[in-house]
Amino acid sequence: MAKIIPFRGILYNPAKVSGDDVIAPPYDVITSEYRDVLYQKSPCNIVRIDFGKQMSGDTDSSNKYTRARDFFQQWIREGILVRDEKPAFYAYEIDYSLYGENKTLRGILAMVKIEELGKGVYPHEATHSKPKADRLNLMRSCLANISPIYSLYNSPEKITSMILDGIEEAPYISAHDAAGAVHKLYRISEESKIDSIMKDLSDKAVFIADGHHRYEVAMEFKREMGEGPWEYVLMFLANMSDAGITILPTHRMVKGIKREDVLGRLEPDFAIQTCGLECDIVERLSHEGKNTFGLYLGSNEKWYILKYKGTDLEDVPSVLRSLDVVVLHELIIKKDLGIIDVAYEMDIAESIKRVRKGDFDAVFFLNPTGVDDVERVALSGLRMPPKSTYFYPKLLTGMVINKFIVDE
């Protein structure tokens, strides 16, 4: 099982800065335009470290990574960033709204010992190849984990969850994200609570929810450096037995098909119904349940509702066979339609717009993957297709930083 320990976090000093001014979204969802907005918010916004701008005169010795290191060191010297005096776990709470329902996600920020995947720490989905040099260069320059990996564990006893539920003091720092969710951070430094959390998590597997690439970068850095504090990586850990975890679906936009042939090719494997575009496709798919998909072809103003008959996929491992994303990829996209050009979109209206513009021929909509499916597939040693899960809301960067300190 994974080893999880407290650490002396580096935090923004709320006496000198406001969380709303200095905290930022994850680097991989920040556009260049929004990065400019974050730069203007504060000269101490974490984006200057985590996702700094390239400059025209950059060289091997002066670039966005050296500037990130310099900002990091300067803000520590100036007391903008402060290091806790003793190890702690950090409670991270997000109050958010989804489809008119108010929800709360709670978890802890902790250090998790880096292990080979499948040995206490488990991936759950395949990832697209992605340049990792950027994150590795940042880690080399700053000697720190700037942003956490979002991970899950399963503790029906809810020992840690009860500790988090019992927090009553004001947050150490808080910030709002672009959707209006409130992100709050609390320090857990009492030895009795630290001991209880470590005992609760000592026999638990850890499942990477969001941040597979960051974990792989941390593994590579550990291989480079050998023994030392970089043998641990910063993670947010949420209990799968709690109610606040949300997974959203990522819809598939496709091209390279003949629209007039699509329904005929799908009919052997799917019962097909129609409804007008005024139909709430999210509600309809949720009502229809597992292995139901929405299809928009753009040529008329209606949805096609596809209900899988369960007649194929015997060659797919049983643990994957019932997953919506697997039925969509292995049966609809590969076998029935032979599609090779797939793009991903969270927003339903935007995906419809792209089809109407002619960028894509069709879009398939699906229900979200279940949290229990993540655990089941991960423990089997298999992986779901890319973009099978979108954990919402995204964690913000800058709530806590872990700096590698040698011989403390």
Side-chain angles (χ1 to χ4, degrees), residues 175-196:
H176 295 76
D177 65 23
V182 183
H183 298 243
K184 294 175 280 190
L185 188 83
Y186 306 84
R187 185 188 289 109
I188 301 174
S189 56
E190 298 94 328
E191 289 188 9
S192 61
K193 292 181 179 179
I194 288 176
D195 290 344
S196 294

Side-chain angles (χ1 to χ4, degrees), residues 140-160:
R140 289 168 178 154
S141 187
C142 293
L143 290 177
N145 303 130
I146 307 298
S147 58
I149 296 165
Y150 184 161
S151 297
L152 306 171
Y153 66 96
N154 195 356
S155 175
E157 302 83 9
K158 297 190 175 185
I159 303 300
T160 300

Side-chain angles (χ1 to χ4, degrees), residues 370-387:
V371 175
D372 56 336
D373 291 326
V374 171
E375 180 181 26
R376 184 167 50 87
V377 171
L379 288 176
S380 74
L382 298 171
R383 297 205 194 190
M384 303 177 190
K387 305 290 185 181

Side-chain angles (χ1 to χ4, degrees), residues 111-115 218 221-222 226-233 404:
M111 300 308 299
V112 177
K113 195 169 194 298
I114 297 171
E115 303 285 358
F221 189 70
K222 173 191 168 184
E227 294 183 359
W230 34 78
E231 294 180 81
Y232 288 79
V233 66
F404 304 133

